[in-house]
Amino acid sequence: MTTTPPTTTAPLPPVLRPHRIPADGLYEGRRILRRTPDDWTERPYERFEVIPQAATIGAEIRGLDLSRPLSGALRAELNRALLEWKVLFFRAQHLASGEQREFARNWGQLESNPLLARGDSKDVVRFDKAAGGAPTFENVWHTDVTFRERPAMGAVLQLREVPPAGGDTLWADMAAAYDNLPGQIRERIEGARAVHDYLPGFARFCTAAQLAPFQAEFPPVEHPVVRRHPETGRRMLFVNASFTTRITGLDEAASDRLLRLLFQQAQVPEFQVRWRWQAGDIAFWDNRATQHYAVNDYGSHRRVAERVAIAGDRPH
Ligand SMILES: O=C(O)CCC(=O)C(=O)O
Ligand SMILES: [Fe+2]
């Protein structure tokens, strides 16, 4: 008598479904992007190659030289990829600072950063601890500048110098984090608001004297705990361990309990992508839909990163 080995027909959980990459190397948009409530479109990308790095977040884009001006069509196609993948990676671009700013300008005004910018350009933040530059937000998950009323829409980061090993960056998908919350928690946070404040996040790197001048410019602000993406309409978890200090209307203990649970949800490995940098690589992320974390595992080696951030709108 022959026995058939047991098989399972159960589908993989949604966040782990593999993407189909056809033999010609062009990714055919398997997933469907919701553009407007009545228009569900599925189109492959036409102008570049998209190599997914994880099921829902992160794609390497091949075949583009970002130092060249973008046509409207190419910008639109890249924006569609950004909305779908939330962080795009481009190898070996080696952009001059001006080129990096020009690329980012295709998405809007650059945001000046009085807290972190050093040197003459107020919109380029250079992370280089060895040279006394801005601290990186290592070991803290965060969405950039949520202590502003209008946090950045996105950011373009280039690694100028990489350590011999380590120094990766992780990004996490806040739509997946929201979608995978238990229903009763989703109900509980619907309509909830939370306070965001730069002080606790920066106090880990800066002295009180360095931070004091910015208190008037950046008073604590309130944002919704769940924000709707302005372009896709998707709901996303919008609290982060670096800047979110309190759920409005809850006492401190209840707020801490709920925030801890939400921070933990935002840090689930299945919602993440990890990029191993080479010098000259660019990462372009949708700051409305993600959090990120720079891994501090390279000892005393040098790692130099430069970032420009694109101005965003008020979360709703
Ligand atoms: O250095 C990194 O990998 C990321 C630093 C960071 O948090 C940022 O550029 O916003
Ligand atoms: Fe950041």
Side-chain angles (χ1 to χ4, degrees), residues 127 137 142-144 285 287 292 307:
F127 299 100
F137 290 85
H142 66 282
T143 298
D144 288 333
W285 65 89
N287 194 53
H292 54 278
R307 183 194 83 192

Side-chain angles (χ1 to χ4, degrees), residues 52-109:
Q53 304 294 302
T56 68
I57 179 166
E60 183 188 342
I61 305 295
R62 290 197 193 150
L64 292 184
D65 171 357
L66 301 187
S67 70
R68 294 169 54 180
L70 295 186
S71 67
L74 182 51
R75 186 237 176 250
E77 187 105 323
L78 268 179
N79 194 56
R80 197 163 63 83
L82 180 72
L83 295 179
E84 181 161 20
W85 295 103
K86 303 162 192 103
V87 51
L88 304 179
F89 303 108
F90 306 82
R91 286 271 187 220
Q93 296 293 321
H94 301 283
L95 299 186
S97 217
E99 292 168 338
Q100 187 176 343
R101 299 166 84 252
E102 275 309 299
F103 173 71
R105 285 277 296 122
N106 288 289
W107 273 267
Q109 294 294 328

Side-chain angles (χ1 to χ4, degrees), residues 116-118 125-136 205 210 302:
L116 291 176
R118 304 277 187 277
V125 175
R126 187 177 165 90
F127 299 100
D128 177 2
K129 285 172 296 182
T136 53
F205 315 101
Q210 284 171 314
R302 195 161 184 200

Side-chain angles (χ1 to χ4, degrees), residues 127 136-137 142 144 155 157 159 167-169 171 277 285 292-295 303 305 307:
F127 299 100
T136 53
F137 290 85
H142 66 282
D144 288 333
L157 180 73
L159 263 273
D168 299 350
T169 308
W171 282 264
W277 294 98
W285 65 89
H292 54 278
Y293 179 112
V295 185
R303 179 183 186 276
R307 183 194 83 192

